[in-house]
Amino acid sequence: MSVAYDDREHSYHHGPYTIADLDRMPRDARYELVDGWIVMSPWPSIRHDHAVRNLRTRLDAAVARAGADLYANGPVDVFTSTGIRVPDVAVVDGRAARRAVERDERAYQGVDLLLVVEVVSRESASERTDRYEKPSEYAKAGIAHYWVVDLEPKPNITVWTLAPGHDVYRRVDRVFAGDLLETDVPVELSIDPAVLLSV
């Protein structure tokens, strides 16, 4: 569940907030900056964490197998038209990742990310955000691919790709546990969504 955050102890005014305000937030939850408001998401569930870790590990292994100049990680901060969002997993252009480290940048630029993934927490305020708000922001930021991972009723991955010449995504695939998602973008990967909950 996401909620707008307003705490007199950690801020001197009541919006709009800035990146400086965001950086002063305690590390007790995840925070995003959206249209001048700080939005808090409580720490995700154990199932969510396993799915994120397992997907990140598989993407990292795929990058290594391909010898690609890419960096898989998550969660990461990314600038969008509304502020800063925090996707669960991202694949970043290797050169851009090195440049961000060298310059000690606050967040990645959208065009430097080749893929972002959100793991949906069903029946939470963040579910609407992951399905409707973030895709629009990520598309406008120029992120080529967006995946939505659903763990209920059984694990599945919906694959969206940026429509050429437009700032919107189009759905290209949805794969459920027991089948294989096979893709070569941003890196060659074959994955059964069922493995996302393996321990």
Side-chain angles (χ1 to χ4, degrees):
M1 171 163 76
S2 297
V3 295
Y5 191 87
D6 200 351
D7 183 346
R8 293 171 195 259
E9 185 179 331
H10 297 101
S11 63
Y12 301 104
H13 54 82
H14 298 285
Y17 296 98
T18 66
I19 291 173
D21 295 314
L22 181 68
D23 290 341
R24 284 197 298 268
M25 298 307 296
R27 298 292 179 194
D28 59 346
R30 274 199 197 165
Y31 298 93
E32 296 177 318
L33 183 65
V34 183
D35 290 327
W37 292 100
I38 294 174
V39 179
M40 179 193 77
S41 295
W43 288 112
S45 69
I46 291 174
R47 285 168 59 88
H48 181 284
D49 280 349
H50 276 286
V52 168
R53 180 183 53 83
N54 286 335
L55 181 58
R56 187 178 60 230
T57 299
R58 280 162 176 76
L59 282 166
D60 203 32
V63 166
R65 272 193 310 276
D69 189 18
L70 301 171
Y71 173 65
N73 199 11
V76 301
D77 290 359
V78 59
F79 289 113
T80 71
S81 59
T82 66
I84 293 181
R85 290 293 194 175
V86 186
D88 290 312
V89 179
V91 177
V92 185
D93 172 76
R95 213 171 79 211
R98 289 188 294 278
R99 186 175 60 239
V101 170
E102 289 165 8
R103 296 178 182 173
D104 193 23
E105 292 179 355
R106 171 60 180 82
Y108 288 107
Q109 299 296 322
V111 294
D112 295 333
L113 279 68
L114 306 177
L115 166 69
V116 291
V117 182
E118 295 288 358
V119 177
V120 172
S121 296
R122 281 289 186 99
E123 299 179 4
S124 71
S126 63
E127 180 177 12
R128 181 184 185 284
T129 302
D130 292 346
R131 293 191 196 283
Y132 299 103
E133 295 171 19
K134 287 186 177 182
S136 173
E137 293 173 41
Y138 291 154
K140 287 176 185 166
I143 301 170
H145 304 280
Y146 178 55
W147 294 0
V148 174
V149 173
D150 248 315
L151 302 176
E152 304 294 339
K154 63 180 182 175
N156 63 89
I157 302 172
T158 305
V159 176
W160 302 83
T161 191
L162 207 52
H166 301 281
D167 291 338
V168 296
Y169 289 117
R170 63 182 175 83
R171 188 173 121 169
V172 295
D173 206 354
R174 187 173 189 194
V175 178
F176 287 83
D179 289 322
L180 287 178
L181 168 61
E182 299 193 55
T183 184
D184 58 1
V185 288
V187 66
E188 190 171 332
L189 176 69
S190 179
I191 184 170
D192 178 343
V195 304
L196 297 177
L197 293 180
S198 63
V199 179

